[in-house]
Amino acid sequence: MDFKKLEKYSKKYKNYTELRMQENRSTSIAIRQGDIVTNNQNSESGLSARVYKDGAWGFAANPLINDEIMEHLVKKATDNAQFLSKKASLEKHNLPSRKGKIHKDFTTSKKRYSQKELIEYLKEVDSYIEKKCSDVSARNTRISNLDMEKKIITSDGSDSYIMRPRSLVIISLTTVKDNQPIQLYDVYGGFGNFEDNFEDPSKLYSKIDKLYDDLMKKANGVYAKPGTHDCIMDADLAGILAHEAIGHTTEADMVQNGSVAADYLNEKVASELVSLVDFANKYEDDLCPVPVFIDDEGVKAEDTVIIKDGILKGYMNNKESAALMNMKATGNARAYRFSDEPLIRMRNTAILPGKSKLEDMISSIDNGYYLVKPSNGQADSTSEFMFGIVKGYKIENGKITDAIKDTTISGVAFDVLQSISMVSSDMSWSAAGMCGKKQPIPVGMGGPAVKCKINIGGK
Amino acid sequence: MKDLAKYAVNKLLELGAEKGECWVQVENKDELNIHSAKIDLLRTNESYTLKLTGLKDNKKGSVTLNKINKKNIDKMAEKTLKIIESSREDKANDISEGPLKEKFESGPIAPEREKMYENLSNFLKNVKNDFPKIKLEQSILEHTKIENYYENSNDVSLYSKKGKYQFTSMFFSKDGKKTSSFNYTQLSTKNIEKPYYNSGTIKRLLKENQEQLETKSVPQNFKGDMIITSDCMGSFIGFITRYLKDHYIITGNSIFKDKLNKKIANENFSLYSKPLAEEIASNYFITSDGNLAENLEIIKDGNLKSFMLSLYGANKTGKKRANNSGGCYVIEPGKKSIDDIIKNTDKGIILSRFSGGNPSDNGDFSGVAKNSFYVENGEIKYPISETMITGNLAEILLNIRNISKERGNFGSSILPWIKTSGVMISGK
């Protein structure tokens, strides 16, 4: 696609207008028990226009890319906004401007793999599992690559281009114990093209060995005891807690609707050991899993401090919510497909590391659980959350003992944050998250391990 | 579009593929969005998708794109062939058998935008008047027109044009600093005349959601009854049917793998997938493997009557292909009223929303009971929060005690309330 085509429209607006040209390219390959069950390439591209007029938004999108369509879309979006503003009196806000110009292309500099080479890679991984993991009854491996390429120009003068790649290998293993299938999976990779993340299949082998070992432990595992327990939530759990249970309640559109976080700005909502940030693009000096430099409203992105030392400090805003709440636009407006409007979305949400050592945290618990891997997460307007746990262990007398079978944890996030008594000094990111809120969107989640009290469902 | 789909299949054959199929989908969407209690976004989209799939030496590959013209199709066919050749031989790969030519049309093809606005603003006004503590989150009314063209090299040529309206609303309640759990509903309809405010189960959900501002945990952990409402039943049907589809049957990990024509549920439980049912607005005529859709009996009088295998899944396992692609689920009603079912419950919960992931491979599930109520001695006692439920899917199907005579028609499914037992219910 010729993304430069968009620039000639930069002076053609009568109202506040955003124009976006976007292409999402994805590759999906899946091997189940040695059979290739998915072998697909997908490309989806097009133009969109969003117009703000008299307090109403109009949006229009079309996959065709030419001068006529561009003009048609701006007119259509304007007509759409006008349709609404004529129906009811809507308050018009002065949308803030934090414009910027940026060009970021994260395409690999290495020679690109063909689909055939990607299949060969996955076949080797599958063969390794077949040979080495003798007690596996079902194996599924998958490559999922997504390149999102966007060009955005806005009537307030922003101009941005980004090519943001993500590549993942997902491995799921199942074994049978006492006639019951037991499954465990893991996801590898993240930000970057496949060529940058996966050089050689053999580099995954030690991770597969670990996954298999964990599966065997889980097969011999025990059911967790239901009730409230002292637990260590490892980094992946802390990240999903930050994202699902806290992050969503602090998205300004949720706050405007009256989410639980609306009532507690500048109040203590967590243990003073807890600080939580939605990072725009870098953590310390490293790129985050989903780096956002200018968002899809043309706002220069900055980190959003949500909780600092236990105090709720801020919300994630788009232009309209910032105007309405007299806050800063933070660069959190993002859209998934060319035909989607930007919504307030998280980017890279993380609890910041503390000072404790993980081994000290474990040894401080007489009877509890070390929870390592979530399967999914859901959270509520109340900040009550539920996460599936697919990997975890019992802690007895300060030591890790039996693995546990699949279970679920739940709690009220702000209560759990208040109960945090230790935070580990390390930090790790999960780079494979896909968040759902009308549209899907790739997100990063991160954190240290935290010690807290949490409710476990069990048998 | 039909000609382009045919052209794509022929091009692929010309290049050396032995079989080919092509889907083209053209979608037009008009969408009204509520934000902060105002209708403030109108979104109109036009989209095209062309998916070309081919087979050679039993190898399969496909390419999807949304720029549909002959020049792009030529390039796409070349790319598809390369992808096919890079694949691995699998004798289960195939396309649907012809000759077959059919055309279908259903639902409202053009949106009535003024009426859509009127219906949605009526909903807003009524919620504000009748349920002042309700806060509307994502609430959308959309009209979609979808045209599907399917062409393959076995002389199959299918076309369908469908229109429908879909209303979705998410909401929660707020009173001072008290916040309730959110709930949601989705309704698909073929007409826009009837106010959504008076449709489906919306008013009951809004009323119950306001009651959720004051909740307690259950008094103690216990094994008891679970009355699943029609709004929540869709989640559990999704869990059951998951074990009947390709993945679980092919890998042999389904909890129902040896249960065909055997009892897997209480004898009063019958489940169908009815894509041709007139009363279901989200109906369909063509299956994802290029065949004509028919209604399917999945569970009849408690016995498993069919797996839900695609053409590939059927070829792979040697079992029978299901004659549709699932969805449009209908459960036969029972004989008791919802009130009677509650009156006959000693101790349990009414489950209105389940917050939890998919069950494990062995059917175990656990999650949080949302928008739910504690029931004791035949009475609804109070709304609950922080309550977990744990059970096994195969067990709760066999443990079904009652099915209500009332059913909710959501336009995508028609479902009753169902009471089952033996579920572990645990509080904080």
Side-chain angles (χ1 to χ4, degrees), chain A residues 34-35 39-41 43 45 57 59 63 80 87 180 223 254 258 263 339 378 380-381 406 408 438, chain B residues 31 33 40 43-45 62 64 66-67 79 88 114 174 180-182 316 355 360 362 364 366 370:
Chain A
D35 292 327
N39 182 17
N40 186 33
Q41 280 187 4
S43 160
S45 58
W57 292 93
F59 183 92
N80 284 352
K87 291 277 180 196
Q180 299 273 308
Y223 282 104
M254 299 295 174
D263 304 319
S339 53
Q378 294 175 12
D380 209 327
S381 38
D406 288 346
T408 304
K438 192 180 179 196
Chain B
E31 180 191 271
N33 290 255
D40 74 347
R43 177 170 166 251
T44 50
N45 280 346
S62 62
T64 309
N66 72 342
K67 300 276 179 296
K79 202 172 185 179
R88 184 179 273 185
E114 294 287 342
K174 188 90 182 163
S180 80
S181 170
F182 77 82
K316 197 72 192 166
S355 173
S360 305
N362 62 8
D364 285 349
S366 64
K370 297 283 189 179

Side-chain angles (χ1 to χ4, degrees), chain A residues 52-350:
Chain A
Y52 186 62
K53 185 173 165 50
D54 301 329
W57 292 93
F59 183 92
N62 197 296
L64 300 177
I65 297 173
N66 59 48
D67 290 0
E68 205 182 316
I69 288 289
M70 193 76 257
E71 283 179 25
H72 164 75
L73 289 179
V74 174
K75 183 176 180 311
K76 183 91 183 162
T78 310
D79 290 348
N80 284 352
Q82 209 156 307
F83 173 86
L84 296 180
S85 60
K86 278 189 178 166
K87 291 277 180 196
S89 165
L90 298 163
E91 192 184 348
K92 188 179 180 183
H93 304 289
N94 287 321
L95 302 178
S97 176
R98 281 170 44 80
K99 63 186 178 184
K101 283 192 195 302
I102 208 152
H103 185 100
K104 294 271 183 190
D105 186 351
F106 292 102
T107 307
T108 182
S109 54
K110 295 178 184 167
K111 183 179 169 288
R112 302 304 306 267
Y113 291 165
S114 65
Q115 187 94 353
K116 189 175 182 182
E117 286 169 310
L118 291 173
I119 289 174
E120 287 307 320
Y121 179 100
L122 206 57
K123 277 184 192 170
E124 278 193 48
V125 169
D126 180 65
S127 301
Y128 179 81
I129 297 168
E130 191 182 14
K131 271 184 226 140
K132 293 281 289 191
C133 308
S134 52
D135 284 333
V136 161
S137 61
R139 57 186 200 280
N140 291 279
T141 54
R142 190 153 59 90
I143 288 175
S144 175
N145 295 340
L146 173 65
D147 290 353
M148 286 177 92
E149 193 170 15
K150 289 181 181 179
K151 169 90 175 172
I152 296 140
I153 56 171
T154 61
S155 55
D156 62 349
S158 262
D159 182 343
S160 97
Y161 165 88
I162 187 161
M163 203 312 270
R164 193 187 295 113
R166 170 186 268 202
S167 53
L168 306 172
V169 171
I170 300 125
I171 298 177
S172 166
L173 307 178
T174 304
T175 189
V176 176
K177 171 87 178 173
D178 302 330
N179 287 322
Q180 299 273 308
I182 310 285
Q183 189 215 17
L184 190 61
Y185 76 97
D186 212 341
V187 185
Y188 311 99
F191 177 68
N193 281 126
F194 193 90
E195 294 76 5
D196 291 329
N197 286 337
F198 302 97
E199 280 177 38
D200 189 280
S202 63
K203 296 207 168 158
L204 268 187
Y205 293 169
S206 61
K207 291 175 180 161
I208 294 169
D209 293 346
K210 172 84 171 69
L211 183 66
Y212 180 55
D213 188 46
D214 289 338
L215 175 70
M216 291 298 111
K217 282 181 185 154
K218 183 174 167 181
N220 292 306
V222 296
Y223 282 104
K225 197 177 159 196
T228 304
H229 300 276
D230 281 327
C231 291
I232 309 291
M233 288 171 68
D234 207 24
D236 280 1
L237 265 302
I240 202 169
L241 181 78
H243 174 98
E244 286 291 348
I246 304 293
H248 280 301
T249 70
T250 61
E251 292 167 332
D253 50 345
M254 299 295 174
V255 173
Q256 282 171 266
N257 284 331
S259 81
V260 67
D263 304 319
Y264 297 102
L265 193 65
N266 294 317
E267 289 186 29
K268 188 169 184 294
V269 294
S271 147
E272 61 275 12
L273 298 173
V274 176
S275 291
L276 197 155
V277 178
D278 181 59
F279 291 97
N281 44 60
K282 279 189 176 175
Y283 171 68
E284 296 185 331
D285 288 330
D286 295 326
L287 275 179
C288 290
V290 183
V292 175
F293 298 89
I294 288 182
D295 76 0
D296 295 349
E297 291 182 335
V299 171
K300 218 170 163 183
E302 61 175 42
D303 298 345
T304 309
V305 176
I306 297 167
I307 297 173
K308 183 157 172 52
D309 304 329
I311 311 288
L312 181 65
K313 298 304 283 185
Y315 305 131
M316 289 167 270
N317 281 290
N318 62 8
K319 282 182 171 172
E320 192 178 26
S321 72
L324 195 71
M325 297 165 80
N326 197 22
M327 289 181 165
K328 242 184 180 182
T330 46
N332 283 85
R334 301 166 62 205
Y336 181 62
R337 301 163 71 198
F338 76 91
S339 53
D340 287 330
E341 78 281 20
L343 305 174
I344 299 178
R345 308 307 298 260
M346 281 170 264
R347 298 157 306 188
N348 306 281
T349 315

Side-chain angles (χ1 to χ4, degrees), chain B residues 244-291:
Chain B
L244 301 174
K245 293 182 179 174
D246 283 9
H247 175 86
Y248 275 96
I249 301 299
I250 291 171
T251 56
N253 283 329
S254 170
I255 50 175
F256 302 126
K257 66 179 175 185
D258 302 319
K259 300 287 185 184
L260 196 61
N261 293 315
K262 290 183 183 162
K263 185 175 174 176
I264 64 164
N266 175 286
E267 60 274 12
N268 294 319
F269 183 79
S270 293
L271 168 70
Y272 309 88
S273 167
K274 292 190 173 180
L276 303 183
E278 187 54 36
E279 62 272 34
I280 292 186
S282 297
N283 59 344
Y284 61 88
F285 305 100
I286 309 171
T287 65
S288 52
D289 51 21
N291 283 289

